[in-house]
Amino acid sequence: PMSSDTRIAVAAVGFDLGGTLYHHRDAPMRWLEQGQTAIERLFDACGIDRSKARVTTDHKRPAGCCTRLRKRIRRAAASEVGKDVFGAFFEIFRRRLEAYPDAIETLAALKQSGFAVGALTNVPLGMPRRTIQQDLERLGLAPYIDGFVTSFEVGLRKPRRAPFERLATTLAVDLQEIAYVGNLPTDVTGALAAGWGGGWGGGGGGK
């Protein structure tokens, strides 16, 4: 927490996305609860006979813990075929995406006040940047966001420092000039550890 007499010259505000600016209505964001349906969509996109496919999910060792698998997923997601396959996989998590009621109003007010506005979000391995761009456009948030960064393109997740540094570079401001809004402890601790001007926990359009 920041003391009441702390003064920071804030030039930009960064936001987390899921759980902060938008949410998945009636659809949990956790992999274990939606993963099977998503895998079935991926099989369909690849033309794989589900009855002949074997799928094993290791709950104790997620894909993010395996460096070699991470590299393979990155290469596959970058290919033309991979873009369509991964798009089919992630669509199950996006079907009920909704912006919080005050999200656009909050972002518009910041822009009108002269602040640069950005977004920094952790995403699953393989999720292409265009997926986030499409979500922002579909929800009407894109016109108010000057730039965004995902953990997949950086190669590290919040609360690591690198994603926060990347967003500062994207918005062309110093680390100390950014305030950050997120809904998880990792948002707050990561922002403060990176030297950002502040971090606040919350959700629902920046509340």
Side-chain angles (χ1 to χ4, degrees):
M2 298 164 53
S3 62
S4 59
D5 60 348
T6 299
R7 297 292 184 269
I8 298 172
V10 175
V13 180
F15 287 87
D16 174 50
L17 291 178
T20 301
L21 290 181
Y22 55 64
H23 66 111
H24 296 72
R25 178 174 56 87
D26 301 327
M29 296 179 66
R30 294 180 178 82
W31 153 257
L32 295 180
E33 298 176 7
Q34 293 289 321
Q36 184 61 42
T37 303
I39 287 175
E40 290 174 357
R41 288 181 63 88
L42 186 147
F43 285 168
D44 292 341
C46 294
I48 298 174
D49 186 343
R50 298 182 191 178
S51 65
K52 298 179 180 179
R54 291 185 57 190
V55 179
T56 301
T57 303
D58 186 344
H59 298 175
K60 296 181 181 180
R61 290 184 59 82
C65 295
C66 179
T67 302
R68 285 182 297 178
L69 182 56
R70 180 188 296 271
K71 292 180 179 179
R72 291 177 180 177
I73 290 176
R74 187 178 298 278
R75 287 197 299 269
S79 69
E80 289 303 315
V81 174
K83 290 177 182 178
D84 294 333
V85 170
F86 280 95
F89 176 83
F90 290 118
E91 180 59 28
I92 188 65
F93 300 95
R94 303 166 61 206
R95 289 182 301 179
R96 297 176 180 269
L97 203 62
E98 291 183 348
Y100 283 108
D102 59 345
I104 291 179
E105 177 184 354
T106 299
L107 298 180
L110 288 170
K111 294 292 294 178
Q112 291 172 2
S113 298
F115 292 100
V117 177
L120 169 59
T121 183
N122 283 345
V123 299
L125 281 173
M127 178 175 281
R129 179 181 176 84
R130 70 173 183 174
T131 298
I132 300 300
Q133 182 64 43
Q134 290 169 352
D135 289 342
L136 294 175
E137 293 172 353
R138 180 167 55 179
L139 298 174
L141 302 174
Y144 307 101
I145 294 180
D146 300 303
F148 68 89
V149 173
T150 73
S151 58
F152 182 56
E153 61 187 309
V154 175
L156 292 170
R157 299 172 65 83
K158 297 179 292 182
R160 300 291 290 275
R161 183 183 178 93
F164 292 94
E165 292 179 331
R166 178 75 66 87
L167 184 59
T169 299
T170 299
L171 298 179
V173 297
D174 292 333
L175 287 170
Q176 295 79 9
E177 295 179 317
I178 305 182
Y180 191 67
V181 181
N183 67 312
L184 296 175
T186 51
D187 294 318
V188 179
T189 58
L192 295 177
W196 283 25
W200 289 263
K207 289 183 177 179

